[in-house]
Amino acid sequence: MMNENIEKRREYDLPLSANISEIHVHHYVINLHCDLQNQVFHGSTTVFFTRRPESNPKTEQPSVSCHVICSNSSNYEICERDSNSYNPESSNVVQESNLTETVKTDEPLLHLPKFHNSVESSWSYQHVSKETSELGSSSAHLGKTQFLDKRPLSESEIGVSPNKQMKSSVQAFENTQILKKLSSKNFNNEGDTKIKDFTLILDCHKLEIQNVSEENVTSSIDSETFSSPDCLIKNTRTTGTPLKFELGDQCLKIQVPDCKKDQNELRAINISYKTLDGHSLKWSKDQDGNDCVYTHGHWINNRSLFPSQDVPEALATWQAFIYVPQGMTVIMSGDHNPQRKQLENKMECFYFWTSFPMPSSTLSLAVGHWKECKKPETPKNEVIPYRVFGPEILMTSMNAIHQYIPLCLEEVTAVLGQHPMKRQEILIVPASFDSLGMASPSVLYLSQSLLQTDLSMFYRLAHEVCHTWFGIVIGPVDWTEEWLTEGFCTYFEDIIHLRVLRRLGRISEEEEDDIRDLRDLIKFRILTAEIQNTEETLQTLKPDCTESGSNKTFVKNGMNPEKKYLQVHYLKGYFLLRYLEKLAGTAKFLECLRKYVQQFHGKLVSSQEVLQFFIHKCEEIAATGLTASELSSVWLECSGLPSAVSDMIEKVKKGSKTVQNVKSQVDLFCESYRKRKSESTIIAELKDCSPDELILFLELLLDENEIPWFGLSSLKKKYHLETCNAEIKHRWCELIIKCRQRSSSFYKDIQDFLIDHQGMGVYLYGEMMLSGRKALINLAHKCFKQLQQSMGIDTYTAVHSMLFGE
């Protein structure tokens, strides 16, 4: 029976780490062997952490139930549904007597730094100081590291050259003031520490934990970093002290004994496991029919890939060793391109690392048989090096990316400042990808739906590039406030995209503002329709507005499959920024946004901080008398749309010549088919359109009660709709579904769209079912049957609900 408290929080709420205020993870070492055939990773993760200063859990952590640790006592009792209660006979609990084949060695396992009080902390629990916010700055010198892998591989070396000036992951415990508090709080008169046994709680979901042990850490201080240039892989298992653990649905609870060390002593816990069928990983086949896998952790992030503190404020560095058969492509976030080493048994190891502390949710990994799409020529003065990967069958289509991405990177850095990453990888993922794009540090996943020769869909590529600044380098302190990432990227996507098109000679400078207005109208129509069909709780951009404190225990609607397909936080956030732009003027507002990027580089922000920044830094906005509280109340904390958006759109309808021309064209077309003019006459009367104009044209046609089949036939022949971009095709499919007269001749267009653009076609299933026409209902079931095995869990759930009910 579902716990009563979780019912109040909703079944879709996502539980978060329960003791991040007590345990500070600094670094992860991830070892993964990829078995594509059996769809599993075997591996281990070593977690390096220190304990935070002692505090009163009763006042800092609310008591919660189900799926999370109830932290209302010093023992951190597991809630009833979260885990199996500890039992020495339980298979989920590792005991020392159960460990076999452990090789004992006198060699120190790991050489890592001892934290010292001679440096200031560069990263705090939530924020990084402004002085150390530049990439490459170093706030501490860390020790040279030697790693011994747990798998039976032959001895090999992987030489790496990470940035020795990395931003240290050493955080709160380097601070002199905190160390003084520790010394007065944790030592008795004899100088012995008073450290008690404690619990390390890590987020994980659908991992089979095989054993947990504490590894020896020999501290030293020198000029090296966690990301050592001399990482050894040895044919031996490491020596460690077995630890007891309990595994719940969303977390792993490890009982860590008192080691009689200083509270700020660095410790290491190694967790061996294999992955199961968790949502963080998407096992699929690429367009060439080859097996592949990529991280798909947007909702529960990476907790099905490796155990970690899976919350935004838990920042850490990491290293990863990925073992695959030779000839495979491995793409992963990290500082530089991977170091590679050929191993025995036709295996290969890819070594990645990051020197920039990040939330574990930002780590990205993809393994497959993808090929690199080579650049047509050696570029000059690249902003950062980039590479493009994808299936061989799409290689020709992928060349369009080389035409676009160098200019995109130039324009985005011209607006926002220096690019914070050292490289950019772009991967065209399988057709089953349920989005248009996804960004992580140094890696962008793109849908094949973007590969249009006219570049009209590449506004979404610009969107994903902007996530490097909004979502990766600057993130929301509360995951619920997604508008701080998606709204900002949606705002910048048009600005960057249109600048690139202008440089390519596809539009003129005079056309830019008019195109932005036209796209505003399209966005408004999408948002209005969505709000009319969405429950109010999903319409607010700041749903946690009534809660106090920054330590969240849940993300509201964090696992709600419906939310995944909503654009409210994209578009409502966009219109808030567009509103502020119109108050300030475009040039002034872009200048203010550049200052925002500089000030909050490397920090986690709240909505209130952002709104206050705009008011304080932009005189034009401040002059209106608006306050941050007023903006938050009207735009973030309420459902529906502020009246300012409607006012903005009314001005667009009256003032945009392009919008007026499209509206006139729609009126003429409707009059022609009502008078039953011949198809050739209708085609002759239709004017050529840009992709954006054609989208608006079809959008306005959807408002009509009925369009006869010969009208649709005229449209298809005039605009060659079968070759247009995916957004145009989507609206074309909607028109087909709406038409009741002989429209079956166009049904193949719907089928092709659902197969080729799976991330965009989810709602078409619902429209087909609501049409009530047997042929369309049968087509919906046919397509679902064909695609269901490759669908992601959220897509499958949403479509299944449309076809078969709740």
Side-chain angles (χ1 to χ4, degrees):
M1 185 174 183
M2 181 173 286
N3 183 287
E4 193 173 315
N5 289 333
I6 200 66
E7 279 188 316
K8 295 177 182 178
R9 300 294 313 209
R10 295 179 54 85
E11 60 179 309
Y12 293 133
D13 287 356
L14 172 65
L16 303 176
S17 294
N19 67 342
I20 58 172
S21 61
E22 297 157 73
I23 307 298
H24 181 188
V25 173
H26 300 280
H27 188 72
Y28 301 96
V29 177
I30 303 165
N31 290 272
L32 294 173
H33 285 247
C34 181
D35 184 347
L36 281 176
Q37 183 176 0
N38 294 306
Q39 299 188 352
V40 65
F41 280 104
H42 298 272
S44 67
T45 294
T46 302
V47 182
F48 296 92
F49 66 94
T50 53
R51 295 186 66 191
R52 298 184 187 277
E54 289 183 357
S55 58
N56 185 357
K58 292 182 180 180
T59 59
E60 294 197 1
Q61 291 282 356
S63 176
V64 295
S65 299
C66 190
H67 293 303
V68 295
I69 305 304
C70 288
S71 50
N72 57 351
S73 72
S74 59
N75 294 325
Y76 286 92
E77 298 175 353
I78 292 288
C79 292
E80 185 174 345
R81 289 190 68 243
D82 189 277
S83 75
N84 301 314
S85 299
Y86 172 67
N87 184 340
E89 299 179 1
S90 170
S91 60
N92 282 336
V93 181
V94 172
Q95 301 179 75
E96 186 171 2
S97 59
N98 292 335
L99 281 181
T100 60
E101 301 177 4
T102 300
V103 179
K104 293 186 177 181
T105 175
D106 295 327
E107 183 178 358
L109 220 96
L110 300 167
H111 297 283
L112 287 166
K114 180 177 180 180
F115 300 114
H116 48 91
N117 58 7
S118 61
V119 292
E120 291 291 323
S121 170
S122 63
W123 282 82
S124 68
Y125 169 44
Q126 293 182 350
H127 301 294
V128 61
S129 64
K130 182 177 180 181
E131 290 76 10
T132 59
S133 65
E134 292 300 321
L135 279 176
S137 66
S138 178
S139 62
H141 299 294
L142 305 182
K144 186 175 182 180
T145 311
Q146 185 182 62
F147 297 95
L148 305 181
D149 186 37
K150 283 197 171 186
R151 277 156 298 285
L153 298 174
S154 60
E155 181 173 344
S156 307
E157 286 193 3
I158 297 181
V160 298
S161 301
N163 180 2
K164 293 185 179 181
Q165 298 299 316
M166 68 170 273
K167 184 190 303 291
S168 169
S169 66
V170 181
Q171 303 182 14
F173 294 97
E174 297 172 337
N175 187 283
T176 304
Q177 184 177 358
I178 294 179
L179 288 175
K180 288 179 179 179
K181 291 181 180 179
L182 283 173
S183 63
S184 63
K185 217 173 187 183
N186 298 314
F187 292 84
N188 59 23
N189 294 333
E190 292 76 27
D192 294 329
T193 58
K194 291 183 177 179
I195 307 301
K196 299 180 179 179
D197 293 0
F198 63 95
T199 302
L200 171 62
I201 303 167
L202 300 172
D203 295 305
C204 71
H205 179 64
K206 293 295 184 77
L207 294 179
E208 181 181 301
I209 307 298
Q210 295 162 343
N211 61 67
V212 178
S213 61
E214 178 164 14
E215 311 297 350
N216 299 323
V217 179
T218 302
S219 299
S220 61
I221 301 175
D222 58 39
S223 62
E224 297 298 330
T225 67
F226 272 120
S227 300
S228 168
D230 300 306
C231 298
L232 296 178
I233 303 174
K234 291 195 172 184
N235 184 17
T236 183
R237 296 183 67 178
T238 58
T239 302
T241 303
L243 300 179
K244 299 175 182 178
F245 67 89
E246 298 179 16
L247 181 62
D249 177 56
Q250 292 286 343
C251 75
L252 172 66
K253 177 187 177 184
I254 303 171
Q255 299 177 21
V256 183
D258 171 15
C259 63
K260 301 301 181 184
K261 296 181 179 180
D262 293 350
Q263 179 156 337
N264 63 309
E265 189 75 29
L266 187 68
R267 301 181 72 171
I269 301 294
N270 183 277
I271 305 152
S272 295
Y273 59 92
K274 75 173 184 178
T275 61
L276 300 174
D277 57 347
H279 300 177
S280 299
L281 292 168
K282 176 62 177 175
W283 302 89
S284 185
K285 288 187 180 294
D286 65 22
Q287 291 85 341
D288 293 327
N290 298 316
D291 292 326
C292 64
V293 62
Y294 55 95
T295 50
H296 200 251
H298 185 59
W299 297 114
I300 56 172
N301 300 299
N302 283 310
R303 58 180 68 181
S304 296
L305 178 64
F306 70 104
S308 67
Q309 288 187 334
D310 190 18
V311 286
E313 58 263 45
L315 307 171
T317 53
W318 53 262
Q319 296 163 278
F321 300 85
I322 311 300
Y323 301 87
V324 296
Q326 292 178 14
M328 302 289 290
T329 297
V330 180
I331 296 170
M332 195 173 191
S333 48
D335 285 0
H336 297 283
N337 289 332
Q339 299 291 325
R340 301 170 64 170
K341 183 68 177 180
Q342 300 291 328
L343 306 175
E344 293 182 354
N345 301 323
K346 297 183 179 180
M347 296 293 289
E348 188 172 10
C349 179
F350 287 72
Y351 171 65
F352 299 83
W353 68 93
T354 178
S355 58
F356 191 68
M358 290 282 183
S360 63
S361 60
T362 63
L363 184 146
S364 176
L365 172 64
V367 179
H369 296 268
W370 298 294
K371 307 297 181 184
E372 182 177 357
C373 181
K374 298 294 185 180
K375 300 172 186 176
E377 58 184 23
T378 303
K380 299 177 181 179
N381 302 320
E382 281 186 316
V383 172
I384 53 171
Y386 78 91
R387 298 188 297 173
V388 180
F389 294 88
E392 195 165 5
I393 195 172
L394 295 179
M395 203 58 58
T396 301
S397 302
M398 288 158 56
N399 281 324
I401 298 176
H402 292 305
Q403 187 180 6
Y404 188 92
I405 192 65
L407 297 178
C408 179
L409 292 170
E410 287 180 20
E411 290 300 329
V412 73
T413 51
V415 174
L416 298 176
Q418 181 178 354
H419 201 289
M421 299 299 159
K422 299 178 176 65
R423 65 183 176 102
Q424 185 68 74
E425 311 278 69
I426 299 172
L427 174 64
I428 305 300
V429 287
S432 58
F433 185 54
D434 54 6
S435 175
L436 288 179
M438 188 166 68
S440 62
S442 304
V443 178
L444 302 181
Y445 292 159
L446 297 182
S447 166
Q448 65 180 31
S449 300
L450 272 57
L451 301 179
Q452 191 71 24
T453 55
D454 62 9
L455 310 182
S456 58
M457 290 291 290
F458 276 179
Y459 75 88
R460 187 56 189 242
L461 175 51
H463 178 107
E464 300 306 330
V465 167
C466 290
H467 269 305
T468 300
W469 285 266
F470 307 106
I472 294 176
V473 173
I474 304 172
V477 70
D478 180 354
W479 268 330
T480 304
E481 298 183 340
E482 294 163 280
W483 82 274
L484 292 172
T485 58
E486 299 299 355
F488 276 69
C489 291
T490 304
Y491 172 79
F492 274 106
E493 68 185 24
D494 286 342
I495 294 173
I496 303 303
H497 180 62
L498 295 176
R499 290 189 179 196
V500 173
L501 293 185
R502 175 158 53 87
R503 289 185 61 178
L504 290 170
R506 308 219 173 185
I507 63 172
S508 65
E509 185 175 359
E510 292 73 24
E511 291 177 294
E512 285 189 54
D513 287 341
D514 206 38
I515 294 174
R516 286 192 72 192
D517 285 341
L518 184 151
R519 290 182 62 80
D520 279 353
L521 179 54
I522 295 171
K523 288 181 172 71
F524 175 77
R525 289 178 59 88
I526 296 171
L527 180 56
T528 302
E530 203 162 86
I531 285 178
Q532 290 173 350
N533 296 283
T534 304
E535 61 178 278
E536 291 189 357
T537 57
L538 293 174
Q539 297 177 27
T540 56
L541 301 187
K542 196 173 182 294
D544 283 337
C545 58
T546 59
E547 299 185 13
S548 59
S550 59
N551 290 340
K552 302 295 180 185
T553 326
F554 285 88
V555 174
K556 290 186 176 181
N557 284 295
M559 291 187 286
N560 189 339
E562 182 182 355
K563 187 179 180 184
K564 189 166 191 174
Y565 303 102
L566 295 179
Q567 299 184 60
V568 170
H569 46 291
Y570 289 74
L571 298 179
K572 197 172 175 182
Y574 164 82
F575 278 114
L576 169 54
L577 296 175
R578 190 77 158 116
Y579 170 70
L580 295 175
E581 177 200 341
K582 290 185 178 295
L583 293 179
T586 301
K588 288 284 188 180
F589 191 61
L590 290 179
E591 181 182 336
C592 184
L593 283 166
R594 188 182 179 103
K595 293 177 181 177
Y596 167 80
V597 167
Q598 293 170 346
Q599 178 161 327
F600 291 100
H601 181 101
K603 297 182 181 179
L604 302 175
V605 296
S606 67
S607 294
Q608 195 70 13
E609 286 177 293
V610 173
L611 297 178
Q612 287 175 345
F613 175 87
F614 288 141
I615 292 172
H616 292 158
K617 295 294 183 180
C618 188
E619 295 178 359
E620 291 75 9
I621 296 176
T624 65
L626 283 172
T627 66
S629 296
E630 289 171 344
L631 285 171
S632 180
S633 175
V634 173
W635 287 88
L636 307 182
E637 299 169 20
C638 296
S639 59
L641 279 178
S643 59
V645 179
S646 299
D647 295 341
M648 195 186 312
I649 297 303
E650 284 303 313
K651 291 180 181 179
V652 168
K653 291 178 180 179
K654 295 177 181 178
S656 170
K657 291 182 179 180
T658 302
V659 170
Q660 291 174 358
N661 289 338
V662 172
K663 181 67 169 63
S664 297
Q665 181 79 346
V666 170
D667 293 339
L668 178 62
F669 172 72
C670 293
E671 182 181 356
S672 296
Y673 71 68
R674 287 184 188 123
K675 291 182 177 180
R676 303 192 67 83
K677 293 182 179 180
S678 66
E679 186 178 86
S680 59
T681 301
I682 294 176
I683 291 173
E685 290 177 345
L686 290 169
K687 296 179 181 179
D688 293 335
C689 294
S690 70
D692 289 324
E693 290 170 344
L694 187 51
I695 288 173
L696 180 58
F697 182 87
L698 299 179
E699 272 280 324
L700 295 176
L701 282 180
L702 286 168
D703 292 339
E704 298 296 318
N705 291 329
E706 179 70 22
I707 299 175
W709 70 269
F710 64 87
L712 295 184
S713 179
S714 302
L715 287 175
K716 184 173 182 180
K717 290 178 180 178
K718 171 64 178 180
Y719 296 117
H720 305 286
L721 295 177
E722 69 278 1
T723 65
C724 289
N725 72 38
E727 290 190 320
I728 294 172
K729 287 180 179 178
H730 188 281
R731 288 160 176 84
W732 168 239
C733 291
E734 289 182 279
L735 284 171
I736 296 171
I737 294 170
K738 189 170 184 176
C739 177
R740 293 182 173 273
Q741 301 176 3
R742 296 172 56 184
S743 61
S744 58
S745 58
F746 304 120
Y747 285 0
K748 188 177 185 305
D749 293 346
I750 299 176
Q751 181 176 343
D752 291 343
F753 183 86
L754 292 177
I755 293 172
D756 294 336
H757 306 286
Q758 295 176 36
M760 300 180 68
V762 173
Y763 286 129
L764 288 180
Y765 287 95
E767 293 180 21
M768 294 162 76
M769 297 300 292
L770 291 173
S771 73
R773 298 202 296 282
K774 187 175 181 179
L776 280 174
I777 293 172
N778 289 340
L779 180 59
H781 282 270
K782 176 183 176 182
C783 291
F784 177 69
K785 184 177 181 180
Q786 178 180 345
L787 301 173
Q788 61 180 329
Q789 295 300 322
S790 62
M791 286 180 173
I793 183 63
D794 290 326
T795 303
Y796 176 90
T797 301
V799 176
H800 189 277
S801 176
M802 294 174 189
L803 269 57
F804 303 102
E806 296 293 342

